[in-house]
Amino acid sequence: MATIHIDNLTKRYRGKSTPALNHISLEIQSGMFGLLGKNGAGKSTLLKILTTLEQPTAGSITVNGIAIRNKAKIRNLIGYLPQHFGFYPNMKVFDALTYLAILAKVPPRQQKHRINQLLDEVNLSAQSTAKIKSLSGGMLQRLGIAQALINDPQVLIVDEPTAGLDPEERIRLRNLLTSFAQNRTVILSTHIVSDIAATTNKLGILNEGNLIFHGNSQKLIANAKGHLFETRLLNDQLPHFKLNHQLTEQISEDSSVKIRFLSQNPVSDATPVLPTLEEVYLYLQTVHEEVIK
Ligand SMILES: Nc1ncnc2c1ncn2[C@@H]1O[C@H](COP(=O)(O)OP(=O)(O)O)[C@@H](O)[C@H]1O
Ligand SMILES: [Mg+2]
């Protein structure tokens, strides 16, 4: 079981006026942690710093008390599936993992057993002798997870692994990660709210380099309580209403339309409703971006 402490972390890339990460403080315990944020929020930057591939500009991170400048020690603790991961397309699945096991210094006598065990765990035993280029997107991601686990790390970091997968593979991958999180720390980054809702209630939300939320999903929903409403409008009222309100749902029914929308202030002629995770996420981003403007 691993504990990660992130303290006042800032990352500035050369030539950029705004920081990719802005004074982030966060503690991550064992189990699954979801890192949510849209494109450019800073997710990959944070994960790359955690895996020692990027250096922070300021601040500190420890994993089980070990500072990340101890690269070799940290790399032994962490397995990583980057956002863009490529295998040699003409290699066979088993051979690719053997190659990576050698690089990861898995003792030769343990390699075969370890790889077979991993292929079984990620449900790819039947593809052992298949060429990488013949695998589906979901299979490739599962192979990516197998390579990240080759050293049996205490922490597994996966950067947007569900992007581009069809629903069936997405669900399969999420279930796999949940099972690995039973005896590890798993950090899952995503821009898809349902990935978080389906796997964990511990999450952080990054927006333009700022950590705008950290806690569980109950606390997240409480944040937007009283800011989500439902009402019904006539079709021709809709365009005007849209000018002043952010709609989260819009269901047409003949000449009227049922809508859900966000509002900072109470609305007299609409019914307050409990927001979904996706609506809270939208609400927090909107509030944050208005504060910045
Ligand atoms: N190597 C880099 N050099 C300069 N800017 C970068 C680099 N990597 C990321 N950025 C910038 O940092 C910000 C955060 O990017 P990133 O961490 O990739 O976000 P995310 O993974 O959430 O999409 C973006 O504005 C991006 O353009
Ligand atoms: Mg990214």
Side-chain angles (χ1 to χ4, degrees):
M1 296 287 165
T3 305
I4 299 168
H5 278 281
I6 301 172
D7 190 25
N8 222 351
L9 187 75
T10 291
K11 172 69 181 180
R12 288 179 181 280
Y13 287 109
R14 203 163 295 155
K16 289 275 170 98
S17 56
T18 51
L21 295 171
N22 190 15
H23 299 287
I24 305 293
S25 294
L26 184 63
E27 188 176 305
I28 299 173
Q29 304 281 356
S30 58
M32 178 91 90
F33 182 83
L35 185 63
L36 182 61
K38 60 186 176 187
N39 251 336
K43 304 181 296 298
S44 295
T45 299
L46 178 58
L47 301 184
K48 280 185 220 161
I49 293 174
L50 260 172
T51 53
T52 77
L53 296 172
E54 285 280 1
Q55 317 293 324
T57 308
S60 66
I61 303 186
T62 60
V63 182
N64 285 350
I66 301 167
I68 48 160
R69 64 175 172 275
N70 300 298
K71 287 191 183 182
K73 280 189 184 161
I74 293 291
R75 286 181 186 182
N76 271 329
L77 287 173
I78 291 180
Y80 173 50
L81 175 60
Q83 186 167 3
H84 305 287
F85 188 72
F87 288 99
Y88 295 107
N90 283 312
M91 258 189 165
K92 290 176 180 164
V93 167
F94 191 94
D95 300 342
L97 287 177
T98 305
Y99 172 71
L100 293 166
I102 293 166
L103 290 181
K105 300 194 171 66
V106 176
R109 284 192 308 156
Q110 292 171 22
Q111 281 169 14
K112 194 172 170 205
H113 174 72
R114 179 81 192 123
I115 292 168
N116 281 326
Q117 185 190 4
L118 279 170
L119 286 175
D120 184 46
E121 282 177 5
V122 301
N123 234 309
L124 283 177
S125 297
Q127 282 73 34
S128 173
T129 58
K131 282 195 175 176
I132 306 273
K133 64 182 173 193
S134 74
L135 302 183
S136 70
M139 288 176 181
L140 272 175
Q141 292 300 55
R142 285 186 274 133
L143 181 59
I145 288 172
Q147 68 75 32
L149 291 172
I150 205 130
N151 256 339
D152 198 16
Q154 293 183 37
V155 181
L156 173 64
I157 294 178
V158 284
D159 194 357
E160 301 222 29
T162 64
L165 299 188
D166 62 35
E168 194 185 333
E169 273 289 9
R170 176 184 296 275
I171 289 167
R172 189 199 275 243
L173 191 75
R174 295 197 300 222
N175 291 343
L176 189 67
L177 291 171
T178 303
S179 68
F180 286 129
Q182 279 166 8
N183 49 9
R184 279 189 193 80
T185 297
V186 175
I187 304 179
L188 163 68
S189 94
T190 183
H191 64 270
I192 299 155
V193 179
S194 65
D195 282 348
I196 304 289
T199 53
T200 180
N201 75 27
K202 293 184 288 184
L203 74 153
I205 301 179
L206 278 175
N207 187 271
E208 298 171 345
N210 296 288
L211 189 71
I212 60 171
F213 175 84
H214 170 216
N216 61 32
S217 33
Q218 291 86 328
K219 177 179 157 195
L220 181 62
I221 289 188
N223 256 285
K225 209 167 161 233
H227 296 290
L228 204 271
F229 298 88
E230 189 176 277
T231 195
R232 196 177 291 275
L233 297 174
L234 293 172
N235 280 346
D236 53 11
Q237 293 176 303
L238 190 60
H240 179 73
F241 194 87
K242 273 185 164 171
L243 290 177
N244 302 307
H245 299 86
Q246 188 169 14
L247 272 58
T248 62
E249 192 177 284
Q250 171 178 344
I251 301 172
S252 290
E253 292 166 346
D254 300 324
S255 62
S256 73
V257 54
K258 202 179 99 199
I259 58 166
R260 287 165 72 95
F261 63 96
L262 294 167
S263 172
Q264 302 255 30
N265 306 310
V267 183
S268 58
D269 48 356
T271 316
V273 285
L274 201 64
T276 62
L277 268 190
E278 197 161 39
E279 287 166 333
V280 185
Y281 175 50
L282 202 64
Y283 172 73
L284 286 182
Q285 290 194 128
T286 309
V287 170
H288 178 75
E289 283 161 24
E290 277 172 7
V291 168
I292 286 183
K293 269 181 218 157

